[in-house]
Amino acid sequence: MNKRGICAFSPTEHAVQLDLIGRVQGILSAETYFNNLRDQDKTDKTYGALLNCYVGHRRIEKSLSHFQKMKEMGFASSALTYNGIMCLYANKGQYEKVPDILKEMKRNKVSPDNFSYRICINSYGVRSDIEGMEETLKEMVSHPQILMDWNTYSVVANFYIKAGLKDKAIDALKKCEERLSNKDGLGYNHLISFYARLENKDEVLRLWDLEKSSCKRCINRDYITMLESLVRIGDLNEAEKVLKEWEASGNCFDFRVPNTIVTGYCEKGSVEKAEAMLLDLKKGGRTPTSNSWGKVAEGYINKGEMVKAKDSMKVALSLFVGSKGWKPNPKVLSGILTWLGDYGDIKDVEDFVGSLRSVVTMDRLMYHALLKSNIKSGKEVDEILSSMKADKIDEDDKTKEILGLRHNETKA
């Protein structure tokens, strides 16, 4: 549009274009675009866009050098510029440097905004400096141009909970709720999650009722938050009621919602209920995920029910479609493979390893299970050892111990 003369770019449009180039094509392309700008287009807007690019790519030296140029040219006159440097330090884990930038802002007569203070408060909280966090909050509250919002008190409450300061956390949550818009579902979700961490069931239920009456409708994200909170508290009966509310809500089906209770059942030892729920979903035409059946397998492992653990994991493996986000739990696989090697027959072992190798690469435990089952069945294992060698898995002491079983089987 700019090249064809349809829309002559002002510095603001150049800044937007520069930001997009930095996101898509990287720093070098952004620098080239900036360097090719006319002098009159190199304003605080375009300088700020290039700084944002450096910050986004976490390049400290380039960011600080460019920031210094902006200060020298009088372009570092907004909170946005300083916030970028504070975010950079926070993202690089150099939280101790964040408060110094806030001090520099004030020295240079640049007024901090809500985000400036929130980044600084977070930097103190991460370092467990509750006193520093409280002093910054006090300054923020007293600032005449700052309108306190619920997000800041949410950040403060989080660190109070982590520090075990329950009373102070509750006080911060009350202030958070006071500043919450009636229709802010995300804010209610934060409050519900925090009270669940404090194991305050009454407040969780009160806020859920308030959210349902205040917001036009609850979306799946809201139900997931509530169910996760009830699972954390350990009230699965109440969670079942909320699940029924969701089923009657008319919301689009999202497997993450019932999966929250499936996970809760497994964690609380009610793995049979979890399996029954997955089977009911399947009957209703809903396909459970690999992750869900993997959780059930883990639950059965914890109860020592190895046959059910193996069968559940096989279902999980059969549902795997190469999607991101799920890999079999190594501890669960180790338990099943060790058990199969010791007690399973050769067909069970070969079937399970066959299912498993379509999801993960062959490893030592899988070969050990195959070696054990074949030796117990009196079969030769030379081919298995050759495959093991081809996969660059050396024989260790455990392998030699298993191979030693051949002599015992011969004597028997």
Side-chain angles (χ1 to χ4, degrees):
M1 289 170 64
N2 185 44
K3 287 177 180 177
R4 293 183 180 184
I6 298 171
C7 174
F9 278 11
S10 69
T12 299
E13 275 88 38
H14 280 300
V16 173
Q17 179 75 341
L18 200 157
D19 181 68
L20 291 172
I21 289 171
R23 290 171 184 267
V24 178
Q25 298 176 6
I27 287 176
L28 291 177
S29 295
E31 288 176 329
T32 299
Y33 186 87
F34 178 81
N35 292 332
N36 288 335
L37 290 175
R38 299 175 301 170
D39 288 342
Q40 59 263 42
D41 289 324
K42 292 182 178 180
T43 66
D44 61 327
K45 298 286 191 299
T46 47
Y47 265 89
L50 185 56
L51 176 65
N52 187 56
C53 176
Y54 289 145
V55 169
H57 286 83
R58 301 187 181 186
R59 302 290 289 273
I60 286 185
E61 290 185 9
K62 282 184 175 287
S63 296
L64 295 180
S65 175
H66 192 71
F67 180 48
Q68 183 60 36
K69 286 182 186 177
M70 291 181 69
K71 286 190 287 185
E72 291 169 359
M73 299 177 70
F75 290 160
S77 57
S78 72
L80 184 63
T81 307
Y82 288 88
N83 290 350
I85 300 300
M86 286 196 283
C87 282
L88 175 65
Y89 281 133
N91 289 333
K92 295 292 285 186
Q94 298 179 21
Y95 297 102
E96 71 284 355
K97 295 182 179 180
V98 173
D100 292 334
I101 302 300
L102 184 66
K103 291 175 183 176
E104 184 180 340
M105 279 180 77
K106 292 183 285 186
R107 277 199 310 270
N108 293 338
K109 301 189 183 330
V110 176
S111 184
D113 59 14
N114 285 56
F115 193 51
S116 311
Y117 279 112
R118 199 178 306 144
I119 299 170
C120 194
I121 285 171
N122 184 72
S123 74
Y124 281 117
V126 169
R127 290 179 288 138
S128 301
D129 185 348
I130 299 300
E131 184 179 347
M133 181 183 78
E134 290 177 334
E135 287 177 0
T136 306
L137 177 64
K138 186 177 179 180
E139 179 186 322
M140 183 181 181
V141 171
S142 64
H143 198 294
Q145 296 180 0
I146 295 290
L147 180 64
M148 296 299 295
D149 58 9
W150 69 264
N151 291 282
T152 303
Y153 285 109
S154 173
V155 171
V156 171
N158 176 50
F159 289 117
Y160 278 144
I161 293 172
K162 286 184 176 180
L165 300 171
K166 184 176 180 180
D167 292 339
K168 287 190 173 185
I170 291 173
D171 182 61
L173 291 174
K174 287 179 180 177
K175 291 175 179 175
C176 179
E177 185 177 349
E178 288 170 4
R179 289 157 179 81
L180 195 64
S181 165
N182 283 339
K183 297 181 180 180
D184 193 336
L186 182 61
Y188 281 114
N189 288 349
H190 275 263
L191 286 169
I192 288 170
S193 295
F194 284 136
Y195 277 114
R197 287 167 60 189
L198 291 169
E199 299 184 343
N200 192 327
K201 176 184 171 181
D202 291 340
E203 284 298 294
V204 168
L205 295 177
R206 179 185 70 81
L207 287 161
W208 177 239
D209 288 337
L210 195 57
E211 179 178 2
K212 289 188 290 183
S213 62
S214 300
C215 299
K216 187 175 181 180
R217 62 184 288 265
C218 290
I219 60 177
N220 288 342
R221 177 200 65 197
D222 306 324
Y223 283 103
I224 291 171
T225 298
M226 185 58 183
L227 289 170
E228 287 176 342
S229 298
L230 290 170
V231 167
R232 178 187 283 269
I233 293 170
D235 193 339
L236 292 176
N237 290 331
E238 193 65 41
E240 290 169 357
K241 294 178 185 176
V242 173
L243 183 63
K244 288 180 180 178
E245 289 179 22
W246 169 72
E247 291 171 344
S249 69
N251 287 3
C252 65
F253 183 81
D254 183 340
F255 196 82
R256 293 176 302 167
V257 181
N259 192 52
T260 305
I261 294 190
V262 169
T263 301
Y265 281 145
C266 293
E267 290 175 351
K268 304 300 179 182
S270 300
V271 64
E272 293 83 4
K273 280 190 172 184
E275 183 177 12
M277 178 176 283
L278 293 179
L279 292 173
D280 285 342
L281 286 167
K282 185 179 179 181
K283 287 179 183 177
R286 307 295 188 181
T287 303
T289 63
S290 294
N291 176 61
S292 303
W293 281 103
K295 287 288 185 183
V296 170
E298 184 177 352
Y300 278 128
I301 281 274
N302 293 335
K303 295 185 75 171
E305 298 187 36
M306 301 307 298
V307 174
K308 290 183 177 180
K310 181 257 298 180
D311 291 342
S312 299
M313 182 54 73
K314 281 196 71 174
V315 176
L317 296 171
S318 71
L319 293 171
F320 184 76
V321 290
S323 59
K324 299 177 182 178
W326 182 78
K327 287 290 182 183
N329 185 323
K331 290 184 179 179
V332 174
L333 291 184
S334 175
I336 294 173
L337 287 167
T338 300
W339 173 79
L340 277 172
D342 291 337
Y343 304 105
D345 60 38
I346 190 168
K347 186 177 184 306
D348 281 341
V349 175
E350 289 178 345
D351 284 350
F352 187 79
V353 171
S355 299
L356 187 56
R357 71 188 306 168
S358 64
V359 176
V360 300
T361 55
M362 287 292 291
D363 63 13
R364 192 182 303 278
L365 279 173
M366 294 160 71
Y367 276 117
H368 282 179
L370 288 170
L371 287 170
K372 281 184 181 180
S373 61
N374 275 269
I375 289 171
K376 285 191 301 181
S377 299
K379 294 193 173 184
E380 293 296 325
V381 294
D382 291 344
E383 189 174 333
I384 297 173
L385 290 171
S386 296
S387 297
M388 191 172 170
K389 187 176 181 180
D391 285 333
K392 297 180 180 179
I393 300 175
D394 297 328
E395 294 183 19
D396 63 1
D397 290 341
K398 184 64 178 177
T399 313
K400 292 172 182 176
E401 180 185 326
I402 294 169
L403 293 176
L405 295 173
R406 288 183 293 186
H407 303 296
N408 296 334
E409 292 294 330
T410 303
K411 290 178 181 178

